[in-house]
C-alpha cells in the first residue's frame, strides 16, 4: 500500500512540475496557453506525457527508496543520545521511539513538503547497529555520517 501511495504522490508531483513549467513559459510569452499550440499533437501529447509520468511514478519508488545497514558498535543506551544529536544536526527531529527503534522527520515543514512528506528515516536496531530506511540519497548520507561519527578513531581500518 505504501508503494502505491508513493507512486500516486510522484505522479501528481511530476504533473504539477510540468503544469507549473508550462504556465511560467506562457506567462513569459514563450508559448501560447493553448494545448494545441503548446504541444505538437495537442491533447494527444498530454495523454502521452501522462502515460510516461505514470510509468516513471510507478518505477521511481523502487529506485528512490532503500534500506541500508548502519554499523555502530555499542549498547543502545550508550549510542542513543549521539544518534539523536547527529540527526538533529542534519535537520531532523525524533518523531517516535519504540524500544530501540527510532523514527526521524525533518524539523522544517517546508523541507518535509518539498520531499512530499516522504522524509521519514527509520532506524531499526540490529545486533551490529541499525537498519536505516528512507529516501536513497538521504539514507546514504545519514549512514555515512553515523558510521563516521561512531567509528573507533584508534582502530586501524586497514588491518581487517
Amino acid at each position: 500500500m505504501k508503494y502505491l501511495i508513493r507512486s500516486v504522490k510522484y505522479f501528481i508531483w511530476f504533473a504539477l512540475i510540468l503544469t507549473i513549467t508550462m504556465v511560467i513559459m506562457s506567462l513569459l510569452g514563450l508559448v501560447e496557453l493553448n494545448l494545441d499550440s503548446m504541444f505538437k499533437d495537442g491533447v494527444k501529447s498530454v495523454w502521452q506525457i501522462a502515460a510516461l509520468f505514470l510509468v516513471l511514478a510507478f518505477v521511481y519508488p523502487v529506485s528512490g527508496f532503500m534500506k541500508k545497514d548502519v554499523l555502530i558498535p555499542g549498547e543502545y543506551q550508550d549510542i542513543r543520545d549521539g544518534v539523536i544529536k547527529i540527526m538533529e544536526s542534519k535537520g531532523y527531529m525524533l518523531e517516535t521511539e519504540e524500544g530501540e527503534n527510532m523514527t526521524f522527520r525533518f524539523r522544517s515543514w517546508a523541507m518535509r513538503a518539498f520531499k512530499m512528506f516522504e522524509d521519514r528515516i527509520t532506524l531499526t536496531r540490529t545486533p551490529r547497529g541499525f537498519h536505516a530506511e528512507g529516501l536513497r540519497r538521504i539514507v546514504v548520507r545519514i549512514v555515512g555520517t553515523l558510521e563516521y561519527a561512531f567509528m573507533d578513531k584508534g582502530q586501524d581500518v586497514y588491518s581487517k
Side-chain angles (χ1 to χ4, degrees):
M1 188 64 170
K2 185 189 293 189
Y3 185 87
L4 181 63
I5 291 169
R6 284 180 176 163
S7 294
V8 170
K9 281 183 180 181
Y10 281 105
F11 178 78
I12 292 169
W13 182 252
F14 294 148
L16 184 64
I17 294 296
L18 177 65
T19 303
I20 290 170
T21 302
M22 298 313 295
V23 168
I24 290 172
M25 289 176 65
S26 68
L27 292 174
L28 294 173
L30 301 173
V31 295
E32 293 180 31
L33 193 55
N34 178 353
L35 291 177
D36 291 324
S37 63
M38 198 178 285
F39 299 107
K40 179 181 175 190
D41 292 330
V43 176
K44 182 180 177 186
S45 293
V46 172
W47 291 111
Q48 292 169 345
I49 292 169
L52 174 68
F53 285 171
L54 191 63
V55 169
L56 289 174
F58 186 73
V59 172
Y60 183 73
V62 171
S63 64
F65 293 85
M66 75 178 300
K67 297 175 183 177
K68 186 166 175 60
D69 287 328
V70 187
L71 304 176
I72 301 176
E75 294 297 318
Y76 181 75
Q77 298 83 356
D78 300 333
I79 62 176
R80 178 193 176 274
D81 293 336
V83 169
I84 292 172
K85 183 178 175 184
I86 290 167
M87 293 300 287
E88 286 176 348
S89 75
K90 294 292 182 187
Y92 283 85
M93 65 179 183
L94 183 64
E95 180 185 40
T96 62
E97 183 174 14
E98 297 172 5
E100 295 185 346
N101 301 328
M102 296 182 273
T103 303
F104 294 90
R105 300 288 304 257
F106 271 125
R107 247 190 321 266
S108 164
W109 188 88
M111 284 300 293
R112 292 178 67 196
F114 186 69
K115 302 282 185 202
M116 294 186 306
F117 301 96
E118 292 288 348
D119 62 317
R120 183 174 284 118
I121 299 294
T122 304
L123 296 177
T124 306
R125 188 72 169 137
T126 65
R128 297 179 58 192
F130 290 97
H131 189 72
E133 181 178 356
L135 278 169
R136 179 176 295 277
R137 69 172 177 233
I138 295 173
V139 167
V140 168
R141 194 172 351 155
I142 294 297
V143 167
T145 301
L146 288 170
E147 286 181 346
Y148 181 77
F150 285 96
M151 181 173 51
D152 184 5
K153 304 299 190 233
Q155 174 184 340
D156 181 10
V157 294
Y158 297 106
S159 65
K160 290 184 177 182

